[in-house]
Amino acid sequence: MTVSATPAPPGRAARPSRRRGWARGWIGWGFTGPFLAVFALVFLAPIGYSVYLSLFQDRLIGGDSFVGLANYQQAMDDPQFWAALGRVTLFLAVQVPIMLGFMYGSQFGLVADLNHTFGVTLPDPLSPHLVLASIGNIVTWEFMGYNMLIFYAALRVVPHALYEAASIDGAGQWRIVTAIKLPAIRGALVIATIFSIIGSFQLFNEPSILKSLAPNAISTYFTPNLYTYSLSFSGQQHNYAATVAIITGLLTMVIAYVFQLRGMRKEA
């Protein structure tokens, strides 16, 4: 006696694979969920709270009052904010290594040693017209190794066969650099430059540290971040400080995005 198997309904056969798909999805969320939670807590939540604060003003009568975009209008007309923003823009444009190596004080470090040894008077690196270059030198040496790691990692993935083919064709070192190495690290160059743009507009630690050594050269609004800190913690202007921070962040995003588009266009 032959028993014929009854075919399963069409939808029933697809259920196990569908369940496996759901299981894989939940496993993926399980791995990424902790990071997303921390990211939302330490990054998205402060940004959202800053946007909320920027829409209010703390008044003597009535406390915090909703003012809409009034704080942003005040920032647009604030010469101190634009002076700070212009200063970091200049810093971004002219940042070059000065090759000093030691501390900048006139009574110690390389400048003082040269003055005492040769009986000369070198320009004070903490003077108002040189302090920006001095900070640029510190930041350059601080992050040069980090950028070199990015470039080195990009060069490591270049197939060795390209170098062999170039050597067989008689290409010199300069040709290898321009035809193989630079195109290979173009993406890394874009990433490092975007990080440098963001870091330049976030400049805070270096001028804050040097402020005690050069109080006449570094003001409370020397950079946008230093200005925001001074407004919030010294002036108790939390709402306006949040506004300045939001505007600075938006400008940083626009500049970084424009550069990213140009870099991707050249790469394509």
Side-chain angles (χ1 to χ4, degrees):
M1 177 176 177
T2 305
V3 180
S4 60
T6 303
R12 189 173 299 175
R15 287 179 182 177
S17 60
R18 188 178 303 172
R19 291 176 181 175
R20 285 194 294 268
W22 278 104
R24 294 193 191 99
W26 281 111
I27 292 175
W29 279 109
F31 280 109
T32 59
F35 166 77
L36 293 176
V38 174
F39 179 78
L41 180 65
V42 303
F43 187 77
L44 297 181
I47 292 178
Y49 185 60
S50 296
V51 173
Y52 171 79
L53 287 178
S54 69
L55 302 177
F56 290 82
Q57 281 185 359
D58 188 11
R59 295 175 175 173
L60 294 178
I61 300 177
D64 279 348
S65 301
F66 180 77
V67 294
L69 300 179
N71 286 323
Y72 292 91
Q73 182 61 43
Q74 180 181 351
M76 293 295 102
D77 300 331
D78 187 354
Q80 293 181 341
F81 168 66
W82 288 110
L85 193 64
R87 194 172 290 110
V88 296
T89 303
L90 178 62
F91 167 81
L92 174 66
V94 302
Q95 177 187 354
V96 292
I98 306 175
M99 303 291 184
L100 289 181
F102 296 110
M103 302 299 291
Y104 291 136
S106 59
Q107 302 299 322
F108 50 85
L110 179 63
V111 174
D113 290 341
L114 292 176
N115 289 342
H116 296 157
T117 302
F118 297 102
V120 298
T121 303
L122 295 177
D124 183 8
L126 296 180
S127 61
H129 62 282
L130 288 179
V131 68
L132 190 64
S134 299
I135 295 175
N137 179 52
I138 295 174
V139 174
T140 298
W141 284 101
E142 186 178 359
F143 292 100
M144 181 181 294
Y146 176 78
N147 290 334
M148 288 301 103
L149 286 177
I150 296 177
F151 301 150
Y152 179 74
L155 287 173
R156 291 287 294 175
V157 300
V158 178
H160 190 69
L162 292 179
Y163 297 115
E164 294 178 350
S167 178
I168 293 175
D169 292 340
Q173 287 299 320
W174 177 252
R175 182 60 178 168
I176 292 176
V177 169
T178 57
I180 298 178
K181 292 185 177 180
L182 284 180
I185 67 172
R186 182 173 295 166
L189 283 170
V190 173
I191 293 175
T193 304
I194 291 175
F195 286 166
S196 298
I197 292 173
I198 296 173
S200 295
F201 281 99
Q202 290 180 343
L203 190 64
F204 176 80
N205 291 332
E206 292 76 13
S208 179
I209 293 173
L210 293 179
K211 192 176 186 303
S212 60
L213 297 176
N216 296 327
I218 300 178
S219 61
T220 57
Y221 57 93
F222 190 80
T223 67
N225 272 5
L226 197 59
Y227 187 37
T228 302
Y229 178 85
S230 301
L231 287 172
S232 181
F233 292 96
S234 299
Q236 300 299 316
Q237 302 182 46
H238 306 294
N239 305 110
Y240 186 51
T243 303
V244 172
I246 292 297
I247 294 176
T248 305
L250 290 176
L251 290 175
T252 304
M253 290 173 55
V254 170
I255 295 175
Y257 183 66
V258 169
F259 185 85
Q260 181 183 7
L261 289 180
R262 291 179 59 86
M264 292 174 60
R265 187 179 299 116
K266 289 181 179 180
E267 188 174 0

